């Protein structure tokens, strides 16, 4: 299994480009199931989760072709097998995103029920409740969600909590339903807006994406389209946090500062100077960082997917930070590993109390999820001496060529196979 070996203590400096967003790409790829015509998606990041999704779609009969320029063409002229098997769903929960499009297009779907996950229970009851409201018959059999509906019909669905993939699944299902669907308490994440942009390009009638009420007027059929995926805001935030934590100076091209307010605000609060243009973000630091307290919540508040990286930054900031996680019940697995590097962190319920220390010291560490692994890479960049981050496959799910990009910024990091 691959490892990353990091010699810490080098301030990051230079310029790199931001990749396409993983969490926008995954639902957009599944939107191809909604039409018999080809959907061409560009700015697709090369990630393990994207490969898993393409394999899943291919297994259902979707013709998948790729060009060298991060473009993917998907043609679902016939869906031969509307099933997402356990073997794939267990490796990637986002596979559940095929549920809505499959029922809408084929009138049936069988998707393995995702089990628990390293970061929390993560049930899919809201996805199911929404489809039932649209007239689908749902049963759980042998670990699979089986859904049937001759044709879904529009409904008003008030989600009990804000769910990103739940909103996306129901929005896709509603595009081909008879009548109008209103999703209340919808997720406002930029990735939901990006998916809506793709659906609209395919002929869907979607209004309100980016607000907490999304209205979808069902149509008889959708058509093919070309769509370019938005930049990854979490990758952007991760590199910015890494630059701040190492006392560096970087510029990120092809970024979207307009969707990163909460993260940029926290970086400024920590003492970094952040400048932005329409499609770039530059960050530099003048001396020591101050601890920043934060609380994760749905967009536009501070993203849970940035919590672990800011925890790493706080380990060496001056003062004490309170980091509260409100989205997932078990998203502090990086804490014990950061402590092994010399961090001073105590967890009380869903809050971590992080007292800044003078320095971290390198060690061998590993994490059990993507963003926790990213926080360990950040810690390795800060720490004195050598840090070895094991289980790099978590990082490969969501960060495109992370060691190459960091090397370009001057980091001493290499992958050991
Ligand atoms: N929830 C329910 N019932 C549901 C759906 C969700 O109780 O039917 C709960 C979850 O257990 C969780 C909360 O609602 O406590 C929010 O979960 P959400 O459904 O919004 O998460 P998700 O859609 O499964 C996406 C991202 C995650 C990101 C979260 C929160 C994708 C593919 N994944 O997950 O990304 O953390 O939204 O923003 O879009 C990552 O990229 O590392 C990652 C985990």
């Amino acid at each position: 299994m691959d490892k990353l070996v990091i010699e810490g203590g080098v301030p990051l400096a230079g310029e790199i480009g931001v990749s396409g967003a993983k969490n926008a790409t995954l639902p957009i790829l599944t939107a191809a199931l909604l039409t018999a015509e080809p959907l061409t998606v560009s700015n697709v990041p090369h990630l393990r989760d994207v490969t898993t999704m393409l394999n899943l779609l291919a297994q259902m009969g979707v013709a998948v072709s790729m060009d060298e320029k991060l473009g993917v063409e998907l043609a679902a002229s016939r869906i031969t097998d509307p099933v997402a098997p356990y073997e794939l769903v267990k490796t990637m929960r986002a596979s559940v995103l095929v549920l809505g499009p499959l029922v809408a297009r084929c009138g049936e779907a069988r998707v393995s029920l995702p089990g628990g996950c390293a970061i929390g229970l993560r049930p899919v009851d809201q996805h199911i409740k929404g489809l039932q409201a649209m007239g689908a018959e749902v049963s759980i059999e042998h670990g699979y969600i089986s859904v049937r509906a001759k044709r879904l019909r529009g409904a008003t669905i008030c989600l009990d909590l804000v769910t990103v993939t739940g909103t996306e699944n129901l929005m896709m299902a509603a595009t081909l339903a008879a009548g109008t669907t209103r999703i209340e308490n919808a997720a406002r994440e930029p990735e939901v807006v990006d998916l809506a942009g793709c659906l609209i390009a395919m002929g869907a009638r979607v209004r309100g994406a980016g607000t907490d009420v999304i209205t979808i007027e069902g149509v008889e059929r959708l058509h093919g389209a070309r769509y370019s995926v938005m930049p990854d805001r979490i990758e952007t935030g991760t590199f910015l946090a890494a630059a701040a934590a190492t006392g560096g100076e970087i510029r990120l091209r092809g970024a979207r500062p307009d969707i990163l307010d909460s993260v940029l605000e926290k970086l400024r609060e920590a003492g970094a100077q952040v400048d932005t243009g329409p499609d770039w973000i530059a960050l530099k630091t003048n001396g020591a960082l101050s601890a920043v307290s934060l609380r994760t919540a749905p967009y536009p508040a501070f993203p849970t997917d940035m919590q672990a990286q800011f925890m790493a930054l706080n380990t060496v900031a001056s003062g004490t930070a309170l980091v509260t996680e409100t989205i997932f019940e078990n998203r502090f697995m990086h804490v014990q590993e950061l402590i092994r590097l010399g961090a001073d962190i105590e967890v009380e319920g869903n809050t971590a109390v992080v007292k800044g220390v003078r320095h971290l010291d390198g060690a061998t560490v590993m994490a059990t999820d993507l963003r926790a692994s990213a926080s360990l890479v950040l810690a390795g960049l800060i720490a004195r001496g050598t840090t070895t981050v094991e289980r790099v496959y978590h990082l490969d799910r969501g960060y495109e060529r992370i060691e190459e990009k960091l090397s370009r910024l001057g980091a001493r990091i290499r992958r050991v196979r």
Side-chain angles (χ1 to χ4, degrees), residues 22-23 122-126 163-165 305 327-328 371:
K22 166 177 86 82
N23 289 347
R122 305 184 74 178
V124 289
D125 55 302
Q126 298 301 305
T163 157
V164 177
T165 51
D305 290 345
I327 306 287
F328 293 111
R371 309 302 172 186

Side-chain angles (χ1 to χ4, degrees), residues 73-306:
E73 187 183 286
L74 302 145
S77 53
R78 265 187 68 229
I79 295 166
T80 49
D81 194 18
V83 176
Y86 176 68
E87 288 65 35
L88 285 173
V89 179
K90 77 173 181 201
T91 64
M92 187 182 68
R93 304 178 57 84
S95 309
V96 77
L97 281 164
V98 299
L99 190 60
L102 282 178
V103 187
R105 172 94 184 278
C106 311
E108 59 173 329
R110 270 186 83 229
V111 173
S112 171
L113 198 57
C117 160
I119 62 177
L121 289 173
R122 305 184 74 178
V124 289
D125 55 302
Q126 298 301 305
H127 305 229
I128 292 173
K129 162 183 141 162
L131 290 172
Q132 282 172 327
M134 294 168 81
E137 272 176 44
V138 183
S139 55
I140 309 288
E141 292 161 354
H142 307 292
Y144 278 74
I145 314 168
S146 293
V147 187
R148 270 175 198 285
K150 238 189 183 154
R151 184 168 181 200
L152 293 170
R153 46 171 201 273
T156 293
I157 304 158
C158 182
L159 296 171
D160 295 347
L161 45 78
V162 176
T163 157
V164 177
T165 51
T167 301
E168 292 166 343
N169 234 337
L170 298 174
M171 188 164 73
M172 288 192 278
T175 58
L176 294 178
T180 300
T181 300
R182 209 176 127 87
I183 306 174
E184 297 176 349
N185 199 24
R188 292 179 285 167
E189 267 64 6
E191 293 75 15
V192 173
V193 179
D194 211 32
L195 171 64
C198 178
L199 295 171
I200 291 166
M202 294 168 71
R205 301 208 182 121
V206 181
R207 279 181 290 124
T211 75
D212 60 3
V213 179
I214 303 180
T215 309
I216 306 109
E217 217 182 294
V219 295
E220 287 294 326
R221 61 181 56 80
L222 296 181
H223 53 70
R226 293 180 170 274
Y227 197 76
S228 179
V229 174
M230 65 182 272
D232 197 311
R233 65 191 167 104
I234 306 301
E235 187 202 28
T236 306
T238 302
F239 281 109
L240 292 174
T246 58
E249 179 168 357
I250 66 164
R251 193 170 192 278
L252 300 176
R253 296 187 301 278
R256 286 266 313 263
D258 59 311
I259 51 173
L260 271 156
D261 284 347
S262 61
V263 171
L264 300 186
E265 204 171 280
K266 288 291 165 191
L267 288 166
R268 289 188 178 114
E269 196 181 314
Q273 183 185 322
V274 182
D275 295 308
T276 61
D279 60 354
W280 56 266
I281 304 177
L283 176 142
K284 66 177 167 195
T285 49
N286 318 306
L289 293 178
S290 310
V292 277
S293 292
L294 57 94
R295 186 183 178 84
T296 66
Y299 189 85
F302 192 89
T304 173
D305 290 345
M306 283 300 305

